[in-house]
Structures are given as structure tokens and as C-alpha cells.
Amino acid sequence: MKEYGRFLFRCFRLSFHGDWRYYTWMFLLTAVALLGLNAYAKQFVHGLATTGMTDQVSWGLYIANFTYLVGVAAAAVMLVIPVYIYKNEELHDLVIFGELLAVAAIVMCLLFVTVDMGRPDRFVHLFLRFNFPISMLTWDVLVLNGYLLLNMHICGYLIYCAYCRRTPAKWFYIPFVFVAIVWALSIHTVTAFLYSGLGGRPFWNSAVIAPRFIASAFAAGPALIILTLQVLRWATPYPVPDKAINTLKSIVTVALSINMFLLISEVFTEFYTQSSHVVSAQYLFFGLKGYHALVPWIWTAVGLNVLALAVLFTPLNRRLMFLNIACVALIIGIWIEKGMGLIVPAFIPTPLGEIVEYVPTMNEILISLGIWAFGLLIYTIFVRITVPVLMGEIAIDTVYPLGSAKRVAPQPSETKGKYDA
Amino acid sequence: MSHRIYEGHGDPVCETRPGLTRRSFLRRGVGTAGGLAAVAAALSPLRDFDASEMSVAGFLQKHYKEMDAQEMEAALDRIREQVEARYEVRPEIRDIKPMDGVEFVYALNLSRCIGCRKCVHACVAENNQSRDPEIQYIRVIEMPRGTTDVEHGDHHYERATVPDEDHYYMPVQCHQCANPPCVKVCPVEATWSEPDGIVVIDYDWCIGCRYCEAACPYWARRFNFTTPKIPKDKLNPNMSYLSNRPRSQGVMEKCHFCLHRTRQGKMPACLEICPTGSRKFGNVLDPNSEVSQILRTKRVFVLKEQVGTLPRFFYYYDERDPISGYSDEAKGGQG
């Protein structure tokens, strides 16, 4: 126990050490996070009137980001499945970075939900009268926090075992890994059910929402991991084989294709039927009665997704630069599609046919950026700690903190068997 | 790679020797102080926070259904004090319970409504809604003849005189559904159906997630995006816990059929003000009530029947019912 305390203390110290790139990056993130905190303090005092939301469009940027990040968190499973079910060798040493990303993403999700609450001070009411299992929101509370705990346990245990130069006990984490696989699907399914279960919102009331959520998450999430792994390769000596990136590339390609297929199915059903259900989709894609704030957004998203698909389906994707362009395009494309494209239009027009458009305020944007910065901050710290620990450079038997003088680090290939399955 | 993040920043003092030197001490001190100052600066807007209505007792207050009579009285006392401190009016506030054998329904005569919006404003005055920004529970939609689809309606009609010959008017407020989606989705049970059919909100329990607002197919719920403002002389001092007592920032509210009036045998404010008699209200369990008669004999419909919410708010027309043979004495309310 005392040793564990020392481990945490060393992790804490480690997070304050790095080269100039690390300091610049962390300083930037801290600054943006503090700007967000400042904006939230204003919102806390003056209420959600500081946002662009209205009674007509009562959910906006916060819930959009929340939805997107649930997908990012769920996508960690796309590293876990190849490794633990298909015994993929290349991704073996990288799976933990996906799980850490899930932890950071869930923390961001919880923050986005919290800033969206009108009375965050009454948070405790969730424990006193929990409308389970009737309200899908209670399901979401359970599955998100459960997923956070599962991933924290798996990552924390593996990292601490590597720190202690100990082989992890399989029974103490493998069962959790398999539970987490199913759980990852559940977080995004439940989040989709949150919307698709509302009969009063025809735009959401569609069975394809949940599968589309999963498909888009499994495209955007691994794309984000592809970029993250390259940053890891650039900033640390941790080995990231090209083969791993290629495996992820195939996953992204398949998931994005399925996502586009589901999108087309939905658009066809809406527009070919031409029933009164189509109004929100009409507003989103073409504008309605002279209102078309979202039209440029959704076509940008469609354009970016098609661009990504074009790169992924042609030999272009063998060049890392083009692959990265595709990844960035689809990360942004899916963010728009699931954010502005899925949350906002369901409110326009209102169930009574009134059209009020939604534009986020600067304060709202700052809070959102602040939460993203905070999420990236904690993810950077996770990576900062994990890399030297997994490489055996920081361990129970190395000298005080960073141990650059006395390095008894075995190479990653030697440690591999120790800290992982 | 010559620079490796994990190798540290190149200051050998920090890395290899625990214990402080003057330089590292200063650096840490300045860093910590700077960080704390930045956090304090970020939080500085909190100085404007109005904590006058925050109290430990308020924080510990139980859910409406869990309070016993004594606890309810304590809660009401607290509300009295807060209202008095804020509006300089001593309110008559009670927790008025539903009556036995009563289930309220509303019936609205579309042939008679002239779209004057008097109900909208009577409601605001009765129920202590915020005046700035103004929150209204009733929305009157100007509908072109030939459709009942609200998509074709106009919410913001401004006419010197109403009604307009080519339109009819459809007021919409909370339908007090028997299968209410808003109640289903609330994560903390802050909203529920009362035995007399009224869907109520415990304003002291609502966490402000606005899921109910997203779930309502009738756009009946309103959110206090900021602290509601009511001029002191406009406050209605006759209040009850579940209806028209002043709300706080960040909670939901909506029409509750004026339960502080109707549970004491009075009619809702919107009905009382209506100059055309388009609005009918009463106990559907009493076969002799006016609403029971209307449901039996008129051509009644509910809005968005397909969403399965089973509203207790009915619309009807004045035409003679060929089946029952019942005919209206007062016809031609188009006026």
C-alpha cells in the first residue's frame, strides 16, 4: 500500500516533467482549460441564458460534444477486440493507449453533462431518487460511470504491475477486459436510445440511430487513435509499428463505409417518403422556410466523409500523410454529423412547428473548448506516465524519479510478456 | 529523437537528487503561486453568485413524496421567508392535495377560440412566471383552414384585430398526458402524475437536465434559463408548493391546470379570462360534468394521437353530432 502511494506520488511528479514541447503543450491546454473554467463560472452565476440554447432548442453544443465523446470512448474497444479476441500482435502493446483515451473521453462526457445541468448543485438527487430503469438517462449514468471504472481498473492495474515488474494476474483483469468490450457497446447504444426513444421527436425516433452511432464511433474513434499513435511515435521512443496503424486503417474503412450506408438509408427513407417526419431532415440538408443555418455544416460533413472514404478506398491511403488527412477529415466530419447534424435539427422545427435556429454563444464555445483541453490534458498526463513505466524506465527499483542516470530498462520486447496477456 | 519527453527537462537537480535547492524551491513556489492565481482569476465571476436562497436546510430538503407533514411545513416556512425577503409580500402558500374521485380534463372549442391570447397573459399573471424573460405556458397558433397539422401554423401572428377570417386558432399548453413521456424520462423523478391527472414538478428537486423538455411532443415545458424576474407588485401571493410558487434559475416549469385553484373548486385562470367560452374544464369522473358531456357528444380529438401520450386535453368543434343527436344551442362562435 505504501509502495502504491509512492507510485502515485512519482506519477504526480512525473506529470510536471518533460521537455519544452511537453511544457508548451501543457501550458496551452491549461490556459484553455482555465478559460473554460472562467466561462463556466459565469454560466454558473447567470444561468444557461449565457448559452445559445432556448426553450425551442433546449440542447446544443454540450450534448453534441457529449454524444461524440461517448463514441470516442466506446471506440477503445476496436483496439481491445483485435488484441484479446483475435490475438493481434501489432496492437498488443498499444491497446492500453486506447483504454486510456476511453478514460479521458468519459471524463469529458461527464463534464459536458454537468455543464449542461441547470442545477448541478442538486447532483446528489441522482442518488436519492434514481428513476431506474424507466429513464434512459439513469442507464446512461450507470453505463458511463461503469465504463470509466472498468477502464481505470484495467489501465491502472496493468501500469502498476509494469511498475512493480510483476506479471499481471490474468484473473484480475482479463474478465474485466471482456466485460468492458460488451460495456463499450452498451454506452453508445444507451446514449442512442436516449434520443431514439422519444416519440415526440421524429428526427430521432428511428431504429437506425443506435447502429449509426456505433458505426460512426468505430470510424472516428480509431481515426483519433491513429493520429494519437503517430504523436506517440514522434514524441516518445515507444515503438509504434506501421502494421498497427494499418490494422486500425482497415477498421476505420469498414466502419466509415457502414456509417455512410446507414446515413444513405436514413436520408432515403426520409426524403422518398416525404411524410411530415421529413421536416427536420429538410431543414438540415436544404433549409426550411428560409432558415438554413445548418445546411453548410451538414454538407461540409458529407464532403469530409466522402473525402475520407475516397482516400481510404484508394491506394492513396498507403501514404501516411494522406491517411492522416483522411483521419482528420472524418474526425471533423463525424463530429459535425453527430453534433450539429444530429442533436440540433431534432429541435427544429419544434413539436409545434415553430422554427427557432440555434447558434452557440462565445461563452458556450469557451466552456466546450475548456473541457476538450482538460480532457487532452489528462490524456497527455496518462501517456506521459505510461510510456516510461511500460518501457521499464520508471519502476519500483529505479532510483529517484526520472532515473536517467541509472537505467536498468529492459527493451519493450522483453517486458511485453510481463505486463500484458 | 534527441528530445524525449519522458527524459525530463534537463535539470539534473530535480531529477537525481530529491530535496530542495534554492533554485528549485523558487521555481516551484512561483509555479504553484502562478497556478493558484490563475485558477482564482478563472473563478472570479463566482463573486456575483447570489446565495441568498441557498441554505443547508434547503439543500437537505427531501423529495416531495418523502416529506412528512412537519417537513413540508418547514419547507413552506422557508419558501415564505424567501418570497418575503425577495418580493416584500407575505405569501399564502400551502401544499394543496388532490381531491378524491376527481380526474381533471380540459376541453377546448376550436370553433369558438378567436386567438386573442388573453389566456396566455392571465396564465402568466396567475402563475408567477418570469416577466423578463417572459415565460408563457400557453402558445396560441394561428392555423390556416384545411389542416390540423401545426407545422402549417403561425406562432407569431400580430393582427390589429382577431380573428382573421381565413384562419382558426389553436391554443396549446401542457396536455397532462396519462402516458407522459416527460415523467418517463426524468432521471430523478422530479416530475410525476398526481392522482387527479395533473403532471406536476417539484421545483426543489429538478436538476435542470431538460430531458423532459426534449421528450414532450407538445412543447409544453419551459426552462428557467436565468433567474426569473417578477415585479414586486405583480406577484400573486396565493400559492401552492406544486404550482405557482416562484421558481429558481435552472429548473423546469409548465402548466399545472392551476391546481392551487382547481383543487379548491375554482376554474383555471385561462378559462376564467376567456371572452368566448372556448375553454371547458372539469372532472371527467363525474358523468354530469360539462367536460364529460362534451367528451360524450362532441367531435373530439387530441393533438398528435399517434404518439400515444393519451392527453387529458381535448379539442372539439361546435358541429352537431349526428350520432347522439345532440346539437349546440350556441352555434357560430367564429364571431
Side-chain angles (χ1 to χ4, degrees):
Chain A
M1 208 69 229
K2 198 180 151 204
E3 202 41 63
Y4 191 69
R6 208 169 91 86
F7 165 68
L8 288 182
F9 177 70
R10 290 180 74 174
C11 289
F12 175 76
R13 279 188 57 110
L14 206 55
S15 61
F16 286 96
H17 287 277
D19 64 9
W20 64 272
R21 288 174 304 182
Y22 182 72
Y23 280 127
T24 314
W25 173 241
M26 295 300 268
F27 180 79
L28 262 172
L29 291 180
T30 310
V32 178
L34 284 176
L35 277 177
L37 184 66
N38 180 254
Y40 183 65
K42 285 179 197 160
Q43 180 187 297
F44 189 79
V45 173
H46 301 289
L48 286 157
T50 52
T51 70
M53 289 185 275
T54 53
D55 276 321
Q56 284 83 1
V57 184
S58 50
W59 280 345
L61 204 54
Y62 300 149
I63 297 298
N65 277 304
F66 158 76
T67 311
Y68 182 76
L69 284 165
V70 172
V72 171
V77 82
M78 280 290 112
L79 288 174
V80 178
I81 290 177
V83 170
Y84 287 94
I85 296 184
Y86 296 104
K87 309 292 177 206
N88 180 303
E89 283 299 313
E90 290 79 32
L91 287 173
H92 195 278
D93 296 340
L94 300 170
V95 65
I96 199 157
F97 296 103
E99 289 162 337
L100 288 169
L101 183 65
V103 172
I106 293 286
V107 169
M108 286 190 263
C109 286
L110 296 176
L111 287 174
F112 271 115
V113 177
T114 308
V115 300
D116 191 62
M117 280 166 70
R119 293 299 298 252
D121 55 311
R122 293 182 182 167
F123 179 78
V124 66
H125 291 182
L126 274 172
F127 299 100
L128 300 176
R129 277 191 91 93
F130 198 56
N131 190 11
F132 184 82
I134 304 297
S135 168
M136 289 318 291
L137 208 52
T138 57
W139 282 76
D140 224 17
V141 170
L142 289 180
V143 293
L144 287 177
N145 286 297
Y147 192 65
L148 180 65
L149 290 178
L150 278 172
N151 278 295
M152 275 167 53
H153 166 70
I154 295 165
C155 298
Y157 180 63
L158 289 181
I159 293 169
Y160 186 61
C161 282
Y163 173 81
C164 295
R165 301 200 193 283
R166 210 163 64 198
T167 309
K170 285 198 170 179
W171 63 269
F172 200 57
Y173 79 101
I174 293 285
F176 294 103
V177 169
F178 282 93
V179 172
I181 291 175
V182 183
W183 208 285
L185 289 171
S186 84
I187 62 169
H188 219 19
T189 307
V190 167
T191 306
F193 286 177
L194 209 68
Y195 308 115
S196 66
L198 303 183
R201 304 271 170 196
F203 187 71
W204 285 340
N205 193 212
S206 148
V208 84
I209 295 273
R212 227 184 98 194
F213 267 30
I214 304 273
S216 64
F218 289 175
L224 198 60
I225 294 171
I226 289 179
L227 297 179
T228 313
L229 290 181
Q230 289 177 63
V231 174
L232 198 70
R233 184 151 73 176
W234 171 72
T236 76
Y238 200 81
V240 178
D242 277 338
K243 272 186 168 176
I245 290 182
N246 281 334
T247 308
L248 287 172
K249 185 172 75 185
S250 322
I251 293 170
V252 172
T253 310
V254 173
L256 186 61
S257 313
I258 296 175
N259 183 45
M260 292 302 269
F261 169 70
L262 293 176
L263 181 66
I264 291 167
S265 308
E266 190 156 34
V267 167
F268 168 80
T269 313
E270 292 275 10
F271 286 98
Y272 191 84
T273 317
Q274 292 264 299
S275 76
S276 59
H277 284 185
V278 81
V279 279
S280 288
Q282 173 90 30
Y283 169 75
L284 175 63
F285 284 95
F286 305 108
L288 192 68
K289 297 176 183 167
Y291 297 93
H292 30 62
L294 290 184
V295 176
W297 286 95
I298 193 64
W299 288 108
T300 308
V302 170
L304 288 170
N305 282 348
V306 169
L307 171 77
L309 213 52
V311 172
L312 289 170
F313 267 117
T314 54
L316 276 181
N317 68 52
R318 285 177 209 149
R319 302 256 317 268
L320 213 48
M321 190 188 72
F322 286 106
L323 176 63
N324 289 343
I325 291 174
C327 286
V328 171
L330 81 89
I331 288 169
I332 299 173
I334 288 175
W335 183 84
I336 297 173
E337 190 193 307
K338 263 166 114 174
M340 297 305 248
L342 187 101
I343 304 304
V344 179
F347 293 94
I348 305 172
T350 69
L352 295 186
E354 186 186 11
I355 300 178
V356 173
E357 297 198 291
Y358 164 76
V359 182
T361 60
M362 188 42 81
N363 208 63
E364 201 175 356
I365 293 169
L366 279 177
I367 291 176
S368 303
L369 286 176
I371 293 174
W372 274 95
F374 181 76
L376 286 175
L377 190 85
I378 58 174
Y379 186 62
T380 311
I381 292 175
F382 291 160
V383 173
R384 173 74 190 89
I385 292 164
T386 308
V387 169
V389 170
L390 290 195
M391 296 192 70
E393 291 172 2
I394 304 273
I396 202 157
D397 52 11
T398 54
V399 283
Y400 201 74
L402 303 168
S404 49
K406 181 188 167 194
R407 183 178 295 168
V408 283
Q411 287 307 297
S413 53
E414 295 169 33
T415 37
K416 193 171 77 184
K418 285 188 182 170
Y419 62 79
D420 230 327
Chain B
M1 284 286 150
S2 58
H3 287 278
R4 287 173 173 178
I5 281 180
Y6 71 97
E7 275 184 350
H9 57 36
D11 179 352
V13 175
C14 271
E15 285 176 19
T16 52
R17 262 207 329 252
L20 294 172
T21 63
R22 197 170 69 173
R23 193 170 147 211
S24 71
F25 177 77
L26 274 177
R27 181 189 296 203
R28 274 187 223 170
V30 168
T32 312
L36 288 177
V39 171
L43 290 172
S44 64
L46 292 180
R47 278 181 309 209
D48 298 333
F49 186 68
D50 174 19
S52 62
E53 286 181 16
M54 302 285 257
S55 65
V56 178
F59 185 73
L60 294 176
Q61 185 177 313
K62 290 183 187 165
H63 184 275
Y64 176 83
K65 290 183 182 174
E66 286 168 11
M67 277 191 275
D68 59 30
Q70 217 174 359
E71 286 163 330
M72 174 51 82
E73 203 39 58
L76 292 175
D77 267 341
R78 206 160 42 241
I79 295 166
R80 273 183 207 112
E81 274 161 35
Q82 282 168 4
V83 170
E84 203 170 0
R86 184 166 200 150
Y87 300 98
E88 295 161 17
V89 176
R90 186 78 183 167
E92 278 297 316
I93 179 164
R94 294 205 286 142
D95 171 34
I96 304 168
K97 299 286 184 194
M99 296 181 281
D100 282 337
V102 172
E103 183 179 341
F104 289 125
V105 302
Y106 215 116
L108 198 141
N109 189 339
L110 289 174
S111 310
R112 280 177 182 258
C113 178
I114 57 170
C116 64
R117 292 192 179 120
K118 282 199 160 70
C119 50
V120 177
H121 302 295
C123 169
V124 172
E126 174 67 33
N127 290 312
N128 292 321
Q129 278 105 313
S130 173
R131 306 305 206 276
D132 177 32
E134 181 155 309
I135 291 180
Q136 303 171 342
Y137 293 165
I138 305 175
R139 183 50 74 88
V140 185
I141 309 171
E142 187 178 72
M143 299 285 295
R145 291 181 187 281
T147 179
T148 52
D149 183 355
V150 287
E151 298 287 343
H152 303 293
D154 180 2
H155 288 243
H156 304 284
Y157 65 94
E158 288 298 338
R159 297 185 184 280
T161 57
V162 283
D164 178 68
E165 275 304 292
D166 300 325
H167 292 91
Y168 72 98
Y169 296 85
M170 180 183 263
V172 183
Q173 62 210 69
C174 176
H175 281 20
Q176 319 291 355
C177 308
N179 180 20
C182 52
V183 170
K184 233 174 15 186
V185 300
C186 179
V188 294
E189 299 175 11
T191 183
W192 65 92
S193 274
E194 289 269 285
D196 57 1
I198 301 178
V199 176
V200 292
I201 301 169
D202 183 347
Y203 310 119
D204 290 343
W205 199 258
C206 172
I207 58 171
C209 69
R210 308 189 298 298
Y211 196 11
C212 55
E213 193 168 29
C216 175
Y218 304 104
W219 194 63
R221 290 182 162 249
R222 300 291 181 272
F223 183 67
N224 286 283
F225 281 90
T226 190
T227 307
K229 285 183 201 69
I230 310 166
K232 286 172 184 168
D233 58 324
K234 292 275 167 44
L235 192 81
N236 174 9
N238 297 313
M239 302 172 183
S240 83
Y241 184 92
L242 289 176
S243 66
N244 63 339
R245 67 185 166 108
R247 276 73 68 186
S248 70
Q249 169 180 300
V251 302
M252 297 303 308
E253 57 178 285
K254 67 169 190 69
C255 163
H256 37 72
F257 278 176
C258 280
L259 65 80
H260 53 285
R261 297 168 62 94
T262 50
R263 281 180 180 175
Q264 305 202 64
K266 288 202 249 174
M267 285 292 168
C270 50
L271 183 148
E272 238 170 34
I273 196 87
C274 179
T276 61
S278 316
R279 292 174 166 268
K280 305 290 178 192
F281 180 85
N283 179 10
V284 75
L285 300 182
D286 170 8
N288 299 319
S289 68
E290 198 174 9
V291 283
S292 293
Q293 238 166 41
I294 290 168
L295 294 192
R296 261 199 317 275
T297 57
K298 296 285 186 177
R299 294 172 176 185
V300 173
F301 75 97
V302 293
L303 209 52
K304 305 200 185 195
E305 192 173 357
Q306 75 276 12
V307 293
T309 46
L310 308 178
R312 291 193 177 89
F313 196 100
F314 298 88
Y315 295 93
Y316 68 102
Y317 297 99
D318 248 349
E319 277 76 20
R320 198 174 69 89
D321 189 331
I323 297 165
S324 69
Y326 177 86
S327 106
D328 252 322
E329 289 165 47
K331 218 176 174 219
Q334 284 291 318

